[in-house]
Amino acid sequence: MDQTTLIFWTALTGVISALATGLGAIPVHFLKTGSKSVRAFSSAIAAGMMISASVFSLAQEGIALEHKMPLAPYIVIAGLLLGAAFFRYTEKIVSNIHDHNQSLAKGFTKRGWLIFVAMFIHSIPEGIAIGVSFATGNLQFGLVMAIAISVHNIPEGIAISLPLKTEGVSTKNCALASIATSMPQPIMAIPSALLAWFFEPILPIGLGFAGGAMIYLTVAELIPDALENGGKSLTAWGVMVGLSGMLLITTILKAVL
């Protein structure tokens, strides 16, 4: 595969994967947001989906690199902790900005911005994964990886849109926010394809970091909100539905691709 072809396919599939995230806003459009129970269940489902994506996709994918990098599992663990610590710092910054300048929110609450930041971080290693896959020179392998990430982005778009929709954000803005969180994918895919030797070794720490940020978000924001508005039982079932649903989608995707 020559460099022009490499850049073309990497850029094209990176953009498609980002746009696919916006499709997650479509089913959320039909959600009735007036009920506290609906808000709570939506937050819990989003929490379950994010936990599943963090543990069974990001962390597991990083640990699977052990055959290339023996220390990969330990690097992923360090990344999880760093991601959580970074997100704690981010949470404080977002809180200060939101408290001092409400106009910056533009319809998004503090929680909405935190979800955006967490999923934005989450997309960086996915973009690297697309680029590194095409850098192998195997076009089919690169396409399979890009398709897998694109399809995986749809339920992630749902996870992003669910809590935003309950906060009164329009379906259009939910879709735009979802797509925006995935913009690191096309941005990171091209340089990582051209410099795979540099980007591939940082995949374990990147995957762990993104997972840690998302897990912190679910525990600090989504689950407490669900508990406050829906109680323990509704929250527990919402988390289980979200976690199981995301895991089911991931399993079917791996079997098909």
Side-chain angles (χ1 to χ4, degrees):
M1 190 189 305
D2 60 57
Q3 192 174 87
T4 302
T5 304
L6 176 67
I7 293 174
F8 171 77
W9 282 108
T10 304
L12 177 63
T13 55
V15 170
I16 291 173
S17 70
L19 293 175
T21 316
L23 296 176
I26 296 175
V28 176
H29 173 73
F30 303 98
L31 181 69
K32 295 181 180 179
T33 59
S35 167
K36 278 192 173 184
S37 296
V38 171
R39 175 189 171 99
F41 199 56
S42 298
S43 294
I45 290 175
M49 295 179 82
M50 288 186 182
I51 291 172
S52 181
S54 300
V55 176
F56 298 112
S57 293
L58 293 173
Q60 193 172 42
E61 187 178 338
I63 291 171
L65 295 171
E66 187 177 14
H67 67 285
K68 291 183 179 180
M69 293 169 266
L71 294 178
Y74 304 100
I75 296 174
V76 170
I77 293 169
L80 285 166
L81 296 173
L82 285 173
F86 170 82
F87 206 73
R88 169 58 182 152
Y89 180 70
T90 303
E91 182 184 31
K92 293 171 73 173
I93 294 176
V94 171
S95 295
N96 289 335
I97 293 175
H98 201 277
D99 290 342
H100 287 88
N101 193 345
Q102 291 287 342
S103 64
L104 291 178
K106 295 183 180 179
F108 284 59
T109 64
K110 169 194 159 187
R111 187 181 63 157
W113 282 109
L114 288 173
I115 290 170
F116 180 87
V117 171
M119 299 305 285
F120 188 89
I121 293 170
H122 160 88
S123 292
I124 294 173
E126 290 188 341
I128 295 174
I130 291 174
V132 170
S133 299
F134 279 106
T136 62
N138 187 333
L139 180 60
Q140 183 179 6
F141 177 65
L143 288 172
V144 167
M145 175 61 73
I147 292 170
I149 290 176
S150 297
V151 176
H152 178 72
N153 279 351
I154 297 174
E156 287 183 1
I158 297 174
I160 297 165
S161 299
L162 272 172
L164 294 181
K165 189 67 174 176
T166 60
E167 292 170 358
V169 178
S170 69
T171 302
K172 176 185 174 182
N173 286 338
C174 284
L176 291 175
S178 298
I179 293 170
T181 63
S182 291
M183 286 312 297
Q185 290 175 16
I187 292 171
M188 294 302 299
I190 295 174
S192 59
L194 297 174
L195 299 170
W197 57 270
F198 174 79
F199 281 96
E200 188 172 24
I202 67 174
L203 261 178
I205 190 75
L207 291 165
F209 190 94
M214 288 173 63
I215 292 171
Y216 184 95
L217 168 69
T218 62
V219 176
E221 295 289 333
L222 295 178
I223 291 178
D225 181 76
L227 286 169
E228 180 181 347
N229 289 289
K232 293 181 180 179
S233 181
L234 188 69
T235 299
W237 277 111
V239 170
M240 288 306 302
V241 168
L243 191 151
S244 302
M246 179 69 88
L247 184 56
L248 177 63
I249 292 170
T250 305
T251 303
I252 292 174
L253 178 62
K254 288 180 178 178
V256 171
L257 299 178

